[in-house]
């Protein structure tokens, strides 16, 4: 028990004129046991102590074997010398072992102990000094090695490791005594009956003790940044969209967004398709009972005007295949079966389409946002996941302009602490004009892409029944990228996925600082 060291420590101090070192007084005792006893004595002011940390060398299991039996190169040399007329190369492994031969031959050559003569090894000297073994013995005895070159070689061969060692310098305290008297922790009925309580030594209360740690939790960094974004959206008058719909039809995920059916994003290499069932049912006459639409966005805000989903479906088909609403369309044979294929949603813009379709029943200024998971068929690496979070915002109003979108982006990102923005023209099938958003990252000292934005195309809005003069801003960014920047994370797999570290919050300085 750790408490058993209390009296041995007091006894060691009584025999010494000054402070003692724990590693000298108790060389084979774990430092944890020493610390426990010192805490007990220190709380009674019987001793004073300080911790001394230093790096020490310890042998690996392989190093222990070499220290006891000699190095691989020495064993190969001994086998060559024992052969008298030279040792055939093909016989070395059979004599000393395959692993020893593989390492020992090269090292023996490097040290000049043996040479190759056709198909045999011959010794170049009569005797050798096994420096590897000798150095390992020194390390085992002293836990140090003054020869830096030799130490580098031993660590390269994984024969030694560096470990932290804690030594305590212990001195007498103001209430030092040669023996720690047994202290009672409870006043019992028996002690009251026999009167032993009068002479008993009771353990004092420690009113400064912090007590047992209270189990606490902390937001995962992704959830923390997600909540910060939600607060910004709510502050700016946005309504949160329902996102509890991971499986979409190709219609809502692509066609309704004016994404052509031949677009590369719809390939198996970019999208996860559902195998069972493969497709959804065709659209029905009554959209409020249609399984394609979530309950939260089915009903119109005006009871006398229903959202004719089948008519909307036909409008989307026409604008793709033949052109409509002033657009010539894509001019390709639109395939209804392709629209019914089920996919894991590749973006939350499909949710925005639901909400805009609902808005068409009662057109008015509106602001929507969503933050939830999306899925892409991508190879997982340090900056990409097949599953990640998308932040999306939508503003619908009359008379909106591109300049207004730029101005809004500057206000929005300023609330996140990003004040330097640049905008670059881009292409999206469902927005025109479109802009990539870049922000200057002070820590990296460069411009980084932080989002994408644009104004939704008439080919997407007018099939829903929205007025021609209503304009819609749309923009999106990932949740992981700003979280990685904020917390100094270089590998996205540390935030989400099968390699997530459950100790991340305790070990990451930025997260720990926010907890405190």
């Amino acid at each position: 028990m750790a408490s058993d060291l209390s009296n041995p420590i007091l006894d060691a101090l009584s025999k010494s004129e000054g402070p003692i070192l724990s590693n000298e007084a108790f060389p084979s005792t774990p430092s944890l046991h020493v610390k426990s006893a010192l805490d007990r004595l220190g709380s009674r002011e019987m001793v004073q102590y300080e911790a001394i940390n230093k790096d020490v060398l310890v042998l690996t299991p392989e190093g222990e074997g070499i220290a006891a039996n000699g190095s691989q190169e020495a064993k190969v040399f001994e086998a060559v010398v024992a052969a008298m007329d030279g040792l055939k190369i093909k016989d070395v492994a059979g004599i000393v072992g395959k692993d020893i031969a593989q390492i020992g031959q090269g090292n023996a050559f490097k040290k000049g102990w043996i040479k190759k003569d056709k198909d045999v090894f011959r010794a170049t000297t009569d005797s050798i000094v096994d420096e590897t073994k000798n150095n390992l013995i020194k390390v085992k005895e002293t836990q140090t090695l003054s020869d830096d070159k030799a130490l580098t070689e031993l660590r390269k061969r994984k024969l030694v490791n560096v470990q932290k060692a804690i030594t305590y310098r212990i001195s007498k305290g103001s209430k030092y005594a040669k023996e720690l008297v047994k202290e009672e922790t409870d006043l019992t009925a028996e002690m009251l009956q026999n009167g032993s309580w009068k002479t008993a030594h009771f353990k004092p209360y420690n009113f400064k003790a912090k007590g047992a740690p209270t189990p606490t939790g902390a937001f995962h960094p992704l959830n923390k940044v997600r909540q910060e974004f939600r607060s910004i959206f709510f502050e700016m008058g946005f309504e949160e969209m329902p996102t509890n719909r991971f499986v979409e039809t190709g219609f809502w995920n692509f066609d309704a967004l004016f994404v052509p059916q031949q677009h590369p994003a719809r390939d198996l290499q970019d999208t996860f398709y559902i195998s069972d069932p493969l497709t959804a049912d065709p659209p029905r006459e009554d959209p409020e009972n249609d399984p394609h639409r979530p309950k939260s966005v089915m009903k119109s805000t005006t009871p006398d005007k229903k959202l004719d989903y089948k008519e909307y479906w036909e409008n989307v088909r026409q604008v793709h295949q033949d052109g409509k609403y002033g657009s010539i369309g894509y001019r390709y044979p639109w395939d209804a079966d392709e629209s019914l294929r089920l996919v894991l949603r590749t973006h939350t813009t499909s949710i925005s389409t639901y909400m805009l379709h609902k808005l068409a029943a009662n057109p008015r200024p509106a602001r929507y946002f969503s933050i939830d998971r999306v899925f892409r068929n991508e190879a997982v690496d340090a900056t990409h996941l097949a599953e990640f979070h998308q932040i999306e915002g939508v503003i619908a109003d009359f008379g909106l302009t591109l300049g207004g979108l730029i101005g809004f982006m500057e206000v929005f990102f300023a609330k996140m602490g990003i004040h330097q923005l640049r905008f670059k023209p881009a292409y999206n099938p469902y927005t025109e004009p479109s802009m990539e958003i870049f922000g200057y990252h002070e820590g990296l000292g460069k411009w980084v892409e932080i989002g994408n934005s644009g104004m939704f195309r008439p080919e997407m809005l007018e099939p829903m029944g929205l007025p021609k003069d209503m304009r819609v801003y749309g923009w999106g960014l990932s949740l992981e990228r700003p979280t990685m920047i904020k917390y100094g994370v270089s590998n996205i797999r540390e935030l989400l996925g099968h390699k997530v570290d459950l100790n991340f919050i305790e070990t990451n300085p930025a997260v720990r600082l926010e907890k405190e």
Side-chain angles (χ1 to χ4, degrees), residues 90-234:
K90 64 182 180 63
D91 296 334
V92 175
I95 296 175
V96 300
K98 183 178 179 180
D99 293 338
I100 293 176
Q102 188 175 7
I103 298 173
Q105 289 176 184
N107 290 335
F109 267 116
K110 190 183 300 183
K111 294 178 181 295
W113 294 350
I114 62 174
K115 66 178 181 179
K116 184 178 179 182
D117 183 11
K118 295 183 180 179
D119 61 342
V120 299
F121 286 140
R122 299 189 186 280
T124 60
T125 181
D126 296 331
S127 63
I128 60 170
V129 176
D130 192 349
E131 295 177 351
T132 301
K133 175 182 178 180
N134 294 340
N135 286 331
L136 289 173
I137 293 174
K138 290 179 183 177
V139 169
K140 187 173 183 179
E141 293 174 348
T142 65
Q143 294 188 316
T144 60
L145 189 64
S146 59
D147 189 339
D148 292 338
K149 184 177 180 181
L151 176 58
T152 301
E153 180 65 22
L154 293 179
R155 294 188 66 181
K156 184 178 179 181
R157 293 177 62 176
K158 299 181 179 180
L159 302 178
V160 299
N161 285 328
V162 179
Q163 289 185 355
K164 290 283 185 183
I166 303 176
T167 300
Y168 296 98
R169 188 193 306 276
I170 311 167
S171 57
K172 296 177 181 178
S174 58
K175 298 182 180 179
Y176 170 77
K178 289 187 177 181
E179 185 178 358
L180 177 63
V181 179
K182 182 176 183 286
E183 295 176 326
E184 303 292 344
T185 57
D186 294 305
L187 179 63
T188 65
E190 184 181 355
M191 295 168 65
L192 292 172
Q193 290 174 354
N194 59 28
S196 61
W197 64 272
K198 297 178 182 179
T199 57
H201 291 271
F202 289 94
K203 183 177 181 180
Y205 282 103
N206 182 4
F207 293 102
K208 297 180 180 180
K210 296 180 179 180
T214 303
T216 57
F219 279 119
H220 188 283
L222 278 177
N223 285 336
K224 194 171 186 66
V225 175
R226 180 180 184 272
Q227 187 57 39
E228 292 174 4
F229 273 109
R230 292 182 78 242
S231 298
I232 292 173
F233 278 116
F234 287 134

Side-chain angles (χ1 to χ4, degrees), residues 374-385:
V374 296
F375 309 88
R376 305 278 176 87
N377 193 0
E378 295 189 7
V380 175
D381 58 27
T383 57
H384 296 85
L385 286 176

Side-chain angles (χ1 to χ4, degrees), residues 164-392:
K164 290 283 185 183
I166 303 176
T167 300
Y168 296 98
R169 188 193 306 276
I170 311 167
S171 57
K172 296 177 181 178
S174 58
K175 298 182 180 179
Y176 170 77
K178 289 187 177 181
E179 185 178 358
L180 177 63
V181 179
K182 182 176 183 286
E183 295 176 326
E184 303 292 344
T185 57
D186 294 305
L187 179 63
T188 65
E190 184 181 355
M191 295 168 65
L192 292 172
Q193 290 174 354
N194 59 28
S196 61
W197 64 272
K198 297 178 182 179
T199 57
H201 291 271
F202 289 94
K203 183 177 181 180
Y205 282 103
N206 182 4
F207 293 102
K208 297 180 180 180
K210 296 180 179 180
T214 303
T216 57
F219 279 119
H220 188 283
L222 278 177
N223 285 336
K224 194 171 186 66
V225 175
R226 180 180 184 272
Q227 187 57 39
E228 292 174 4
F229 273 109
R230 292 182 78 242
S231 298
I232 292 173
F233 278 116
F234 287 134
E235 178 186 340
M236 301 183 75
F238 282 76
E239 175 187 346
E240 189 164 16
M241 295 185 279
T243 55
N244 55 342
R245 184 181 176 86
F246 291 160
V247 177
E248 290 286 2
T249 60
F251 177 83
W252 288 108
N253 199 75
F254 297 118
D255 294 282
L257 294 169
F258 200 55
V259 178
Q261 294 183 341
Q262 299 85 0
H263 196 279
R266 301 177 75 149
D267 291 341
L268 284 171
Q269 291 83 356
D270 295 284
T271 301
F272 288 111
Y273 285 89
I274 305 301
S275 60
D276 186 17
L278 288 171
T279 61
D281 295 332
R284 299 174 184 174
E285 293 290 346
D286 182 2
E288 294 188 1
N289 294 318
D290 197 287
H292 294 82
R293 314 195 65 223
K295 298 292 183 183
S296 53
V297 296
M298 281 183 182
K299 294 185 177 180
S300 167
T301 53
T302 55
D304 59 340
K305 184 177 181 181
K306 288 189 175 182
L307 307 176
D308 192 338
Y309 178 35
K310 194 164 187 179
E311 180 183 352
Y312 177 37
W313 171 284
E314 181 61 22
N315 289 342
V316 170
R317 184 194 67 78
Q318 290 180 18
V319 78
H320 275 253
Q321 180 171 291
D322 306 313
K324 199 175 183 181
Y325 310 106
S327 171
I328 64 173
Y330 289 121
R331 300 183 180 183
Y332 69 90
W334 188 80
D335 185 0
D337 291 337
E338 180 67 23
S339 284
L340 294 175
R341 294 182 69 183
L342 294 174
V343 303
L344 288 179
R345 68 181 180 208
T346 60
H347 47 196
T348 53
T349 314
S350 57
I351 307 297
S352 302
T353 310
Y354 287 143
M355 298 304 292
L356 292 173
H357 185 213
K358 174 185 176 181
L359 188 67
N362 182 20
R364 66 196 185 282
R367 295 186 173 198
Y368 303 121
F369 83 93
S370 67
I371 306 174
D372 210 338
R373 297 189 182 191
V374 296
F375 309 88
R376 305 278 176 87
N377 193 0
E378 295 189 7
V380 175
D381 58 27
T383 57
H384 296 85
L385 286 176
E387 173 185 353
F388 57 95
H389 293 78
Q390 181 175 330
I391 303 169
E392 177 147 348

